[in-house]
Every structure is written in structure tokens, then in C-alpha cells.
């Protein structure tokens, strides 16, 4: 805009001194432009550095939290009663949700895959395909995501509100180790319960698949399951089972970390629950990707 | 005189400093001592570092500088086990009572007792809970959840929970905040009763001058991170310093 104005002036008035002024002003505006660009780049990099700094700081804190978990987990006394209580809440109380999801997963997968399989005349492979998909990938990932939503947010909100209302401090001043009582029990419980929930989802998902197949054809349960198990090998099941332990561990770890490190203020409770779910879900996908790559390399 | 106090002191704080980030020095060298059986009231404006001081005493917050001695032991660098041995002898009543939401009143009291008195029989265990609840006149609330209790009742349960381990020192963080005048007075009388019955030494942090008058043997006033004034209620009330007197109006 300034450039245009100056150009108009210099064209209208053909005065040497004015043209000279125009050149000077143009130079100044160019310099200003370069300086402001540098300023913007500097500010942007400052923001980026601050963001990266917080990411690395968070990563460092999570690592310290994980190390502390392993240290405290092997040190007696063990909070068995609280651990059993957590297994009940995390495992048993999630059965309905995981069951319904697993059933729908199996049913929908079968119904949607049937037309494509039928096109290639491979309808008889449907049970095997459904079994492989559910056991290797769909049940572990979907169950873990459901657990991330239900468990990680629950733990994050629970511990966050305990932190904000000084309940964790109250434990500490009564010479009770809150990390051992609240964090270790929950992480161990999620590590053990998520694989069991996945196992449950596998079974219910396969039943859903059986129902889906029987909408259009007449398959006996025995025939269906024998087809499913024929298509499965031990090597298919093993990596899927192993990764569920990691899913469970990280769901518990992230939920506990977010809740336990919540800063004072009610706002942080919601934030702990929210970020707990987001980070846990993202972590599940990353672990899944790594597990698939590793399985591909090893087997 | 000061040396004499320090010799019989159960709590002795020298040059306590604590800051949160740059240019945010909350405590700038607090010196404090509490004798056995004494009730010390700490007053000061909001944000003057009263709560930080007692949190440093139980190492909920680590001090930057200074020496904190409890029962003659310097707690600044104590290991977990030794620190816990001292923490068991200190009762801490939090501002919002900090009752465990997921537990009943009875379970709240049983929680610390179960971990530190493992040799008690079931009957002794029940008796200890009942005795503690009776001392705060709340035996009828035994099976209630914290959400079913009023503010005053929550404070009493919090008090009962700290008393169950029979502490030698009690730390009260604004025990009457958010309560009506009558309930505040009841809590203040309860603090006195506890001191007389259990011969505890206490630090009471409060903004409530009625509570300070009723409970305090001695009062200290915190200002700008240091102890600004010290004395009995009567002497401070007649202080020549206008700022000190302003607390008593």
C-alpha cells in the first residue's frame, strides 16, 4: 500500500528530490518488512521451543513416574485389598460395555464383509477372516480404546480430584505412601484386566460374527468355530495377546500420571481426565503400529 | 528466655525460606518454636505463607533453606522411613478436611489405623474408632459418606481421623474457615479439649480472631515472609503498631 502511494507520487511529480525520497522510503519499508519478518520468525521459533520444551519436560516426568512405579511395585507392603478392588472396578465393571461393543464389532464386520467375499466366491472363508480380524486387531484395539475412554478418564478424574481436595496430601501426612496405594494398584490392575477384557471381547465378537453369518446362511456353531480356529495359528494370537498387556499398562500409567500430577484447581480435574483419554488413545495406536512392525520383522 | 523456649520446644524452625519460581519468595527466614503442650496461633494476610510453613513442617513441601526440627530431629533430609516415623506423631487437619470421598466415616478413620496399628484386635480396633468419634461428638455419623456431612461435621471427622493415631503435635490449617459462628466456636473449644486431654502441642493457622483468642497461648503474625510480631492475644491487641492492631478490630 505504501509502495503504491509512493509510486503514484513519484509518477505524478517528476521531481528528482521526490524520487530520491521515494527510493529512501522504499528502502526503509523493505528493511521494516525484513525486520518484522525476522521478528515473526523469532516469535514463532520461541513458541515452538517453549512447546518442545514442555513436551520434553513432560516426557521426562512420565519416565520418572514410570521408574518410580517399578520401584514401588516390587517394594512391600503390597496393597492387595485395593488392587482387588481396582480389578473389580476396572475389569468386572467394564464387562457390559466391552461385551456390547465386541458383539456389534463382530456382527457388523461379518455383514459388511459378506458381499465382497461373495463376489469372489469366498463366502466359506468368512469365519476365518472374521476370526483373524477380530483376534489379531479389532478386539484388542477397540477394547483398548474403550478402556482408554472409560478407565484412563476415570482414573485421571479420580486422582485429579483427590489431589485438588488434598486427599493425597492427607495420605502422605498420615505416613501412607499414596503412590503405592493409588498408582501402583491401578496400573497393575489395568495391565492385568485389559488383556482379560480383550479375551472376553474376542469371544463375544466371534459370537457376533456367527450371528452375522447366520442372517443369510445356515452355519452351525461348531462348524463356525472350527473354521475360525482352523484359520488361526499360535503365532497370530501371541503378538495380539502381548500387545494387550502394553495397552493396559499405558492406559493405567497415563491415567494415573495425569491425575496424580494435576495442579491445584478444579479445572485441572477435567483437564486430567480429558488429556488422559487423548494421550492414552494415541499411545494405543502407536503401540499397535510398533507391535505390527515388530511382528512383521520377527515372524 | 528464647534459648529456654528452644530447649523445651517440640517444633523448632530456623531461617525457613521457600520460593515458588523467580521473584516469588513466600517465606524469607521464618523463625518459630512451639513448646510442649503449647497452642501457637499463626495469623497473617492471605498469601503470607502460613500454610506453606506447616506444610514444610511435615515435608509436604520441601524448604529451600532453613532448619526444621521436630522432636529434636532435623527433618530436612530425612529418609522416607524416618520421616514417616515422625509424621505418625503429627496430626494435620486440612482446610477442607480432605476426607476420602470413596470411604465411609468409619473407613476414613480405619484407613490410617489399619496401616500403623497392625497388632490391634478387631475389638480394640473398633473401640479406637468409637473413642475417636466420641471425642468429636460424632459417633452417629459412623456409617455415613463424607458427601452426607455438613461442613462442621466434615471438620470434626477430619479431626477424629487425625486423633486416631494419638499425635503429639496437631497442625490446624484454618480449622474454622467456611463455618458459621456457633460451629466455629465449637471447633475452637474442641481444639482446646484435645490439647488438654492429649497434651498435644499445636500450630493453628487462622483468620478467625475468636478462634485465635480462644485457642492460642501465643500468637505470631506473618508479614512478607517473616515473623513480624509475636505475643499473647492481649499484648498484640494493645500493640503500638497499627498494622498489628488492625487484625484485632
Amino acid at each position: 500500500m505504501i509502495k503504491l502511494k509512493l509510486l503514484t507520487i513519484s509518477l505524478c511529480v517528476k521531481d528528482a528530490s521526490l524520487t530520491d525520497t521515494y527510493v529512501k522510503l522504499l528502502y526503509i519499508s523493505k528493511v521494516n518488512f525484513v525486520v518484522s519478518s525476522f521478528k515473526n520468525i523469532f516469535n514463532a521459533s520461541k513458541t515452538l521451543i517453549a512447546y518442545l520444551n514442555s513436551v520434553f519436560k513432560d516426557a521426562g516426568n512420565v519416565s520418572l513416574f514410570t521408574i518410580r512405579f517399578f520401584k514401588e511395585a516390587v517394594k512391600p507392603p503390597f496393597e492387595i485389598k485395593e488392587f482387588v478392588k481396582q480389578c473389580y472396578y476396572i475389569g468386572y465393571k467394564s464387562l457390559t460395555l466391552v461385551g456390547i461393543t465386541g458383539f456389534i464389532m463382530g456382527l457388523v464386520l461379518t455383514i459388511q464383509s459378506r458381499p465382497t467375499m461373495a463376489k469372489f466366491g469366498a463366502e466359506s472363508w468368512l469365519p476365518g477372516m472374521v476370526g483373524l480380524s477380530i483376534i489379531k486387531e479389532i478386539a484388542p484395539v477397540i477394547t483398548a480404546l474403550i478402556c482408554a475412554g472409560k478407565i484412563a478418564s476415570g482414573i485421571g478424574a479420580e486422582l485429579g480430584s483427590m489431589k485438588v481436595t488434598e486427599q493425597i496430601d492427607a495420605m502422605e501426612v498420615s505416613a501412607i505412601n499414596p503412590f503405592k496405594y493409588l498408582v501402583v494398584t491401578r496400573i497393575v490392575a489395568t495391565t492385568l484386566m485389559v488383556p482379560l477384557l480383550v479375551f472376553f471381547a474376542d469371544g463375544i465378537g466371534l459370537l457376533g460374527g456367527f450371528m452375522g453369518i447366520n442372517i443369510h446362511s445356515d452355519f452351525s456353531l461348531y462348524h463356525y468355530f472350527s473354521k475360525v480356529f482352523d484359520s488361526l495359528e499360535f503365532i497370530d494370537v501371541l503378538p495380539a495377546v502381548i500387545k494387550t498387556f502394553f495397552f493396559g499398562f499405558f492406559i493405567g500409567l497415563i491415567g494415573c500420571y495425569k491425575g496424580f500430577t494435576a495442579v491445584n484447581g478444579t479445572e485441572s480435574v477435567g483437564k486430567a481426565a480429558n488429556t488422559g483419554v487423548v494421550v492414552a488413545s494415541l499411545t494405543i495406536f502407536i503401540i499397535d503400529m510398533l507391535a505390527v512392525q515388530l511382528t512383521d520383522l520377527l515372524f | 528466655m528464647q534459648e529456654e523456649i528452644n530447649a523445651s520446644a517440640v517444633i523448632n524452625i530456623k531461617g525457613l525460606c521457600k520460593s515458588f519460581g523467580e521473584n516469588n519468595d513466600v517465606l524469607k527466614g521464618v523463625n518459630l518454636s512451639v513448646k510442649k503442650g503449647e497452642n501457637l496461633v499463626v495469623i497473617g494476610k492471605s498469601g503470607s505463607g502460613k500454610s506453606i510453613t506447616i506444610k514444610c513442617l511435615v515435608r509436604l513441601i520441601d524448604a529451600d533453606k532453613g532448619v526444621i526440627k521436630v522432636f529434636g530431629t532435623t527433618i530436612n533430609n530425612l529418609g522416607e522411613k524416618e520421616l514417616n516415623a515422625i509424621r505418625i506423631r503429627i496430626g494435620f487437619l486440612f482446610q477442607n478436611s480432605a476426607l476420602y470421598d470413596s470411604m465411609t466415616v468409619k473407613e476414613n478413620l480405619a484407613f490410617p489405623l489399619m496401616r500403623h496399628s497392625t497388632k490391634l484386635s478387631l475389638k480394640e480396633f473398633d473401640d479406637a474408632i468409637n473413642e475417636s468419634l466420641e471425642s468429636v461428638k460424632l459417633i452417629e455419623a459412623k456409617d455415613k459418606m463424607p458427601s452426607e456431612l455438613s461442613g462442621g461435621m466434615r471438620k470434626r471427622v477430619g479431626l477424629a481421623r487425625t486423633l486416631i493415631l494419638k499425635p503429639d503435635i496437631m497442625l490446624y490449617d484454618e480449622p474454622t474457615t467456611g463455618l458459621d459462628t456457633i460451629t466455629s466456636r465449637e471447633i475452637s473449644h474442641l481444639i482446646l479439649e484435645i490439647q488438654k486431654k492429649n497434651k498435644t502441642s499445636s500450630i493453628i493457622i487462622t483468620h478467625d480472631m475468636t478462634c485465635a483468642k480462644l485457642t492460642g497461648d501465643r500468637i505470631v503474625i506473618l508479614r512478607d515472609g517473616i515473623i513480624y510480631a509475636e505475643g499473647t492475644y492481649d499484648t498484640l491487641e494493645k500493640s503500638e503498631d497499627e498494622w498489628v492492631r488492625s487484625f484485632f478490630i
Side-chain angles (χ1 to χ4, degrees):
Chain A
M1 193 68 187
I2 297 166
K3 257 189 206 177
L4 197 70
K5 271 184 186 172
L6 289 168
L7 195 65
T8 320
I9 293 164
S10 70
L11 285 174
C12 292
V13 188
K14 290 189 175 171
D15 188 322
S17 65
L18 264 179
T19 317
D20 210 32
T21 315
Y22 161 70
V23 172
K24 276 181 187 168
L25 284 171
L26 194 66
Y27 174 74
I28 291 166
S29 74
K30 268 185 182 173
V31 170
N32 278 343
F33 175 74
V34 172
V35 169
S36 69
S37 302
F38 270 114
K39 262 187 186 170
N40 286 340
I41 292 169
F42 179 71
N43 285 340
S45 21
K46 245 171 88 175
T47 318
L48 185 73
I49 288 167
Y51 173 73
L52 286 176
N53 190 26
S54 76
V55 167
F56 284 122
K57 209 172 161 186
D58 231 17
N61 288 338
V62 172
S63 310
L64 290 175
F65 194 81
T66 313
I67 293 166
R68 188 174 173 194
F69 162 76
F70 284 112
K71 270 188 188 170
E72 301 277 8
V74 292
K75 211 166 67 180
F78 303 108
E79 300 283 354
I80 306 292
K81 206 175 158 191
E82 179 64 11
F83 164 70
V84 173
K85 192 175 146 194
Q86 288 309 318
C87 285
Y88 171 77
Y89 282 119
I90 291 164
Y92 180 73
K93 291 272 185 180
S94 306
L95 278 179
T96 317
L97 185 65
V98 168
I100 292 169
T101 320
F103 182 79
I104 294 171
M105 232 157 44
L107 187 75
V108 170
L109 180 70
T110 316
I111 293 170
Q112 289 198 332
S113 308
R114 169 189 279 280
T116 318
M117 300 289 272
K119 261 186 204 170
F120 295 101
E123 256 183 299
S124 61
W125 288 4
L126 202 54
M129 192 278 291
V130 169
L132 264 175
S133 309
I134 286 178
I135 288 166
K136 277 183 84 170
E137 190 61 27
I138 296 174
V141 173
I142 300 286
T143 308
L145 286 175
I146 287 167
C147 290
K150 185 180 179 287
I151 299 163
S153 67
I155 293 175
E158 187 190 9
L159 298 195
S161 75
M162 284 185 83
K163 177 91 178 176
V164 167
T165 54
E166 295 179 310
Q167 291 175 51
I168 292 179
D169 287 345
M171 269 184 204
E172 209 163 334
V173 292
S174 344
I176 296 161
N177 186 343
F179 194 93
K180 192 177 255 303
Y181 182 77
L182 298 169
V183 175
V184 173
T185 51
R186 278 159 180 78
I187 297 179
V188 176
T190 50
T191 309
L192 297 178
M193 285 301 112
V194 170
L196 288 178
L197 287 171
V198 170
F199 184 68
F200 178 68
D202 284 342
I204 300 283
L206 289 176
L207 276 177
F210 171 71
M211 296 276 277
I213 284 175
N214 273 289
I215 291 173
H216 292 286
S217 50
D218 193 19
F219 245 75
S220 76
L221 193 65
Y222 174 78
H223 189 46
Y224 170 77
F225 273 103
S226 59
K227 279 252 181 195
V228 168
F229 291 121
D230 279 349
S231 62
L232 285 173
E233 284 177 32
F234 180 69
I235 222 68
D236 295 323
V237 181
L238 187 69
V241 171
I242 293 171
K243 75 180 172 188
T244 57
F245 283 98
F246 283 95
F247 288 163
F249 174 76
F250 280 100
I251 288 167
L253 182 83
I254 292 161
C256 287
Y257 173 74
K258 291 290 174 188
F260 206 75
T261 55
V263 284
N264 289 341
T266 43
E267 191 198 345
S268 62
V269 179
K271 216 173 166 184
N274 190 309
T275 49
V277 177
V278 174
V279 179
S281 306
L282 195 67
T283 311
I284 286 162
F285 285 117
I286 294 169
I287 295 169
D288 192 46
M289 185 188 73
L290 292 174
V292 169
Q293 295 289 326
L294 208 65
T295 313
D296 202 36
L297 277 174
L298 295 175
F299 307 109
Chain B
M1 181 66 185
Q2 190 63 34
E3 284 302 314
E4 205 176 292
I5 288 172
N6 290 350
S8 61
V10 284
I11 296 172
N12 215 328
I13 300 173
K14 267 185 189 169
L16 178 63
C17 296
K18 182 70 197 173
S19 61
F20 295 92
E22 280 175 40
N23 305 322
N24 190 11
D25 300 331
V26 181
L27 301 177
K28 299 171 189 167
V30 170
N31 297 311
L32 202 76
S33 62
V34 182
K35 282 191 290 181
K36 191 168 168 38
E38 184 187 28
N39 272 0
L40 176 77
V41 171
V42 182
I43 58 175
K45 283 170 73 178
S46 298
S48 57
K50 304 181 296 291
S51 298
I52 303 293
T53 308
I54 57 167
K55 283 184 177 172
C56 285
L57 252 176
V58 283
R59 289 262 306 273
L60 272 179
I61 295 174
D62 281 323
D64 295 339
K65 262 192 219 166
V67 178
I68 303 169
K69 282 189 177 181
V70 182
F71 307 117
T73 310
T74 307
I75 63 152
N76 297 59
N77 298 310
L78 277 186
E80 194 189 334
K81 210 175 168 186
E82 294 82 9
L83 181 64
N84 280 344
I86 286 184
R87 276 174 169 171
I88 290 170
R89 297 177 65 190
I90 304 174
F92 197 121
L93 181 66
F94 286 86
Q95 198 173 338
N96 299 310
S97 311
L99 299 181
Y100 307 125
D101 290 334
S102 56
M103 301 179 194
T104 62
V105 167
K106 187 185 170 182
E107 286 165 346
N108 258 283
L109 269 71
F111 187 66
L113 193 65
M114 255 168 21
R115 276 155 183 84
H116 301 304
S117 310
T118 44
K119 285 172 188 166
L120 286 183
S121 70
L122 213 62
K123 193 187 172 300
E124 287 170 323
F125 194 77
D126 262 353
D127 287 346
I129 292 171
N130 290 341
E131 188 195 330
S132 199
L133 279 173
E134 268 163 13
S135 70
V136 296
K137 301 171 185 76
L138 256 186
I139 191 78
E140 73 282 358
K142 201 174 166 182
D143 297 314
K144 284 188 175 167
M145 295 300 284
S147 56
E148 296 172 273
L149 305 175
S150 68
M153 286 163 96
R154 287 173 73 94
K155 282 267 155 85
R156 283 161 185 266
V157 174
L159 204 51
R161 190 179 64 187
T162 56
L163 289 176
I164 203 152
L165 293 177
K166 303 202 185 311
D168 297 312
I169 295 173
M170 283 295 298
L171 305 174
Y172 301 92
D173 192 1
E174 303 191 22
T176 57
T177 298
L179 302 177
D180 62 87
T181 322
I182 298 167
T183 317
S184 295
R185 200 163 290 209
E186 282 172 6
I187 296 285
S188 302
H189 282 296
L190 211 53
I191 292 171
L192 271 180
E193 264 178 47
I194 288 162
Q195 182 212 13
K196 279 177 191 156
K197 194 179 163 191
N198 304 340
K199 294 181 177 57
T200 53
S201 314
S202 316
I203 295 183
I204 304 144
I205 285 169
T206 188
H207 291 287
D208 175 2
M209 294 315 290
T210 315
C211 172
K213 188 176 185 178
L214 278 170
T215 57
D217 297 319
R218 193 158 54 97
I219 296 175
V220 294
I221 305 180
L222 264 178
R223 186 184 189 181
D224 297 330
I226 53 160
I227 301 289
Y228 183 75
E230 188 175 346
T232 61
Y233 187 92
D234 293 332
T235 54
L236 290 174
E237 194 182 21
K238 290 168 195 150
S239 167
E240 286 177 7
D241 191 321
E242 201 181 326
W243 188 82
V244 171
R245 270 202 325 274
S246 67
F247 282 95
F248 298 84
I249 295 166

